[in-house]
Amino acid sequence: AEPWCLVVTSNQPHTPWNRGDAARYDPAKLRVPPYLVDTPETREGLASYYAEITYMDAQFGRVMAHLEASGEADDTLVVFLTEQGSNFPFCKWACYEMGLGATAITRWPGRIASGRRNDALIQYVDIPPTFVELAGGNPASMDFDGRSLAAVFTTPVAPSPHQFIFGMNTTRGIARGSEAYAIRTV
């Protein structure tokens, strides 16, 4: 079969966190992450945020069900990426770990070992050259800013493609964003 690429996006979890059933998450029983202040408002927000994540998880499940129904699931690389962190304090709009760190989950039966973790430093710009290489192309012959993650995905012990990664936030162009809030990280 010819290589193909499908990009599916979701707005979840994104404020106003009105999707999903927040009643499934009892605010009093939630563990508040150590980087947040434990207040009733934080707990209510977490319940709504977790409900929104559960809603998004169901969306992803429907995409995977369609892939299974297509008969292509066993020969398809699936890459699930999140955006920046939530908009709790010190998360989104900040260059702290919870603002820059994102989740990447991959699935490729027979090529990516199930349950394997990798702490490689990667960036979103690494995704296009990865797809090109895994589809049989030569990303080195193209003008990509990123580096292929093919070895990171498919090799049990692969070196990180980057020694450093960079982050930035300006809030320019964001509704009610400040004129200047330039922060950078390495």
Side-chain angles (χ1 to χ4, degrees):
E2 289 291 315
W4 56 277
C5 180
L6 171 67
V7 176
V8 179
T9 63
S10 174
N11 195 44
Q12 276 67 53
H14 200 283
T15 55
W17 296 336
N18 57 2
R19 303 288 177 101
D21 181 9
R24 292 178 61 184
Y25 299 93
D26 181 353
K29 294 180 180 176
L30 294 177
R31 185 186 70 78
V32 176
Y35 55 86
L36 295 177
V37 177
D38 190 346
T39 67
E41 293 81 8
T42 299
R43 289 176 170 278
E44 290 291 330
L46 283 171
S48 296
Y49 180 58
Y50 294 160
E52 189 100 355
I53 291 171
T54 302
Y55 177 85
M56 181 212 48
D57 186 58
Q59 289 180 319
F60 183 70
R62 286 193 295 277
V63 170
M64 292 303 295
H66 285 292
L67 180 59
E68 289 288 338
S70 76
E72 297 284 332
D74 287 341
D75 193 35
T76 299
L77 167 64
V78 175
V79 178
F80 177 90
L81 300 170
T82 63
E83 196 185 14
Q84 74 284 326
S86 70
N87 66 338
F88 284 105
F90 304 105
C91 296
K92 184 177 183 178
W93 310 124
C95 284
Y96 295 105
E97 178 66 24
M98 295 310 298
L100 292 176
T103 299
I105 300 171
T106 59
R107 175 192 179 274
W108 200 4
R111 299 197 179 139
I112 296 177
S114 178
R116 186 170 61 88
R117 296 179 56 98
N118 190 313
D119 293 326
L121 297 174
I122 65 173
Q123 302 177 103
Y124 295 124
V125 295
D126 297 329
I127 299 301
T130 303
F131 287 169
V132 167
E133 180 175 342
L134 293 174
N138 179 8
S141 68
M142 301 174 185
D143 192 20
F144 286 117
D145 288 334
R147 297 179 182 156
S148 175
L149 304 172
V152 172
F153 286 178
T154 61
T155 307
V157 179
S160 181
H162 303 282
Q163 183 179 3
F164 304 103
I165 56 172
F166 303 92
M168 66 178 225
N169 184 0
T170 62
T171 73
R172 301 282 299 174
I174 305 300
R176 296 181 306 276
S178 60
E179 280 298 312
Y181 181 65
I183 56 177
R184 308 289 186 260
T185 60
V186 176

